[in-house]
């Protein structure tokens, strides 16, 4: 009976560990959230040139602008901004260590957004 109880405990513990996201995944989610905030900040502003958008995005703490594609938000395709952000999470229980990742994301800034829709 004790062996069954021990086996059930070990099995539930090992299955539970597979559900918990790794620290790298959590850090990537934090970086993605930072990029989403950049998109929200760029969303809904008046028509602008790619240079103005790049300058505005570069002024946000923790954001590096790597590339701009397009000329203006008035164009059909808008402006694509490639940004690099970082995110961090902790791993370990007894002696937690910080895991930091840097990820790149593409944000499209366009004047062609339907009424009532949030940023893509």
């Amino acid at each position: 009976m004790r062996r069954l109880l021990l086996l059930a405990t070990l099995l539930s513990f090992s299955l539970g560990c597979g559900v918990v996201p790794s620290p790298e995944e959590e850090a990537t989610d934090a970086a993605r959230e930072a990029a989403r905030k950049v998109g929200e900040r760029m969303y809904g502003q008046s028509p602008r040139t790619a240079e103005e958008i790049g300058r505005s995005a570069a002024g946000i703490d923790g954001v590096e602008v790597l590339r701009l594609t397009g000329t203006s938000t008035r164009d059909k395709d808008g402006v694509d901004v490639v940004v690099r952000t970082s995110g961090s999470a902790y791993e370990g229980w007894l002696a937690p260590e910080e895991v930091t990742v840097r990820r790149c994301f593409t944000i499209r800034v366009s004047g062609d957004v339907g009424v009532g829709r949030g940023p893509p």
Side-chain angles (χ1 to χ4, degrees), residues 7-53:
L7 181 62
T9 304
L10 288 174
L11 183 61
S12 66
F13 180 73
S14 65
L15 289 175
C17 288
V19 174
V20 177
S22 72
E24 186 173 327
E25 290 172 344
E26 290 179 15
T28 300
D29 289 343
R32 184 175 292 114
E33 179 65 18
R36 188 186 65 74
K37 288 181 181 179
V38 172
E40 285 180 352
R41 204 168 205 189
M42 300 293 118
Y43 172 75
Q45 295 184 1
S46 61
R48 297 178 300 159
T49 65
E51 184 179 307
E52 291 169 332
I53 291 169

Side-chain angles (χ1 to χ4, degrees), residues 38-111:
V38 172
E40 285 180 352
R41 204 168 205 189
M42 300 293 118
Y43 172 75
Q45 295 184 1
S46 61
R48 297 178 300 159
T49 65
E51 184 179 307
E52 291 169 332
I53 291 169
R55 228 180 290 121
S56 179
I60 299 171
D61 285 340
V63 174
E64 295 175 66
V65 176
L66 302 178
R67 182 177 53 211
L68 295 168
T69 306
T71 56
S72 171
T73 57
R74 294 173 201 241
D75 294 343
K76 179 181 176 186
D77 292 333
V79 176
D80 286 339
V81 184
V82 178
V83 296
R84 182 174 16 209
T85 62
S86 63
S88 58
Y90 290 93
E91 75 175 327
W93 293 345
L94 298 176
E97 292 184 33
E98 187 174 26
V99 175
T100 302
V101 298
R102 292 172 47 159
R103 298 289 186 256
C104 297
F105 300 94
T106 301
I107 301 166
R108 174 160 292 162
V109 182
S110 174

